[in-house]
Amino acid sequence: MFEFDQYLGFLAFLTIATIGFWLMIFLISFVVPYWIGGSIMEMIKEKREEKRKKKELNS
């Protein structure tokens, strides 16, 4: 059915595909939400700071 070099190539393909699959699962479930959440928090902090500075200038 398979010769030895074909078998090694098939195993290499499966290994790379599996690593890619789990990397995508990790990125989608942890890294991207963390990145988006951090960006939103940073945007909220900047808006608070901007409001505080405007309030100080008006006082």
Side-chain angles (χ1 to χ4, degrees), residues 23-47:
L23 178 64
M24 287 303 296
I25 294 295
F26 173 72
L27 289 174
I28 289 170
S29 62
F30 294 107
V31 175
V32 173
Y34 181 77
W35 182 29
I36 291 172
S39 298
I40 291 171
M41 299 241 326
E42 194 68 28
M43 190 170 40
I44 291 170
K45 284 181 184 177
E46 288 175 5
K47 287 186 179 186

Side-chain angles (χ1 to χ4, degrees), residues 49 51-59:
E49 187 69 24
K51 283 182 183 179
R52 189 183 61 78
K53 284 185 179 182
K54 282 184 182 179
K55 191 174 181 181
E56 286 180 0
L57 288 175
N58 290 335
S59 297

